[in-house]
Amino acid sequence: NAQVLVERYEIPGEPDVFVAYASGTVDFDPRVADEPFDMESNVINSVNANSASADAVRQALQAAGAGPDSRVQLVGYSQGGASVARVAASGEFDVQAVLTFGSPTGQIRLDPDVPAVLVEHSDDLVPALGGSQDNAYAVVVEPRVYDDGEVPTADPVPAHLRRNYADTAHLMDDSDDQRLAATLQGFDDLLRNAVLVASTRYEFARESVVRSASASS
């Protein structure tokens, strides 16, 4: 039930590096309840950085030990991608990289000096909810999932399914696109010689209190 996972890496002679992963929307009920990754946060992410889901990412990083000068990589799927983009745009951490999948990030202005890869299936309606993609300096990956085959009807937006984005991620690893490969290599370089020392899952409630957390090293 965790919405955010944070990994902390140690690198000899260098400050620690933190990698945060944020989940997609958990509760699709339009009525506000105790779930921060809900429809209200989807709406607020489109306007400013004050959503409950973006705040959950901030609090998870802080609880894991990250500070304003900590080097951070941010990864998110769907609403989680918009949430990490809002955190990156806020300048609250020394963000080194942003990677999103199926996220409405078009009108969230990212720092052009921060490497970013934004994966948006062209037949996925969710990224389009963020408006036109204005982050011209980012690497935008826009494959079509159901180009030649029949579109399944069991899910309302099948191209948005996480498993389809996982398949695209594997294709990205094997891509010969030089700009994409160079950017992903930069992501990897930050963790070169790094040792994973903690991986912590955080479950949040809307009252902004960590309900539970577990760590493994």
Side-chain angles (χ1 to χ4, degrees):
N1 294 322
Q3 303 100 327
V4 184
L5 179 137
V6 181
E7 297 173 339
R8 179 169 67 88
Y9 292 84
E10 290 182 350
I11 302 175
E14 299 182 25
D16 290 350
V17 175
F18 297 83
V19 182
Y21 303 87
S23 76
T25 302
V26 176
D27 188 351
F28 291 88
D29 192 324
R31 295 170 295 183
V32 175
D34 64 349
E35 173 54 58
F37 282 69
D38 64 355
M39 294 306 293
E40 181 187 76
S41 288
N42 272 321
V43 173
I44 295 177
N45 277 330
S46 68
V47 179
N48 59 51
N50 298 322
S51 73
S53 56
D55 195 42
V57 175
R58 293 187 190 91
Q59 290 192 34
L61 282 166
Q62 292 164 356
D69 297 325
S70 298
R71 296 179 297 171
V72 171
Q73 286 189 350
L74 298 171
V75 183
Y77 163 71
S78 194
Q79 180 178 164
S83 300
V84 301
R86 282 296 183 188
V87 172
S90 72
E92 296 171 59
F93 300 93
D94 182 10
V95 176
Q96 301 287 308
V98 177
L99 174 61
T100 69
F101 294 89
S103 303
T105 60
Q107 299 302 303
I108 301 175
R109 296 189 178 259
L110 300 172
D111 186 337
D113 293 328
V114 175
V117 175
L118 313 177
V119 187
E120 306 174 353
H121 291 154
S122 62
D123 46 349
D124 180 2
L125 298 178
V126 175
L129 296 176
S132 61
Q133 184 52 259
D134 285 350
N135 290 293
Y137 295 94
V139 178
V140 182
V141 180
E142 299 180 287
R144 186 174 181 84
V145 179
Y146 299 105
D147 193 22
D148 300 321
E150 182 178 346
V151 178
T153 58
D155 295 285
V157 190
H160 187 65
L161 293 174
R162 190 168 54 183
R163 65 172 179 266
N164 285 327
Y165 277 102
D167 291 341
T168 297
H170 288 299
L171 294 175
M172 289 163 58
D173 286 338
D174 298 329
S175 173
D176 57 4
D177 183 281
Q178 294 184 355
R179 187 180 176 211
L180 173 61
T183 305
L184 294 177
Q185 184 61 54
F187 290 14
D188 293 340
D189 287 345
L190 181 63
L191 297 176
R192 190 178 301 279
N193 301 319
V195 176
L196 176 64
V197 294
S199 179
T200 309
R201 295 176 174 86
Y202 295 92
E203 181 184 353
F204 287 89
R206 181 168 285 279
E207 60 264 31
S208 300
V209 174
V210 179
R211 181 175 294 165
S212 64
S214 59
S216 59
S217 301

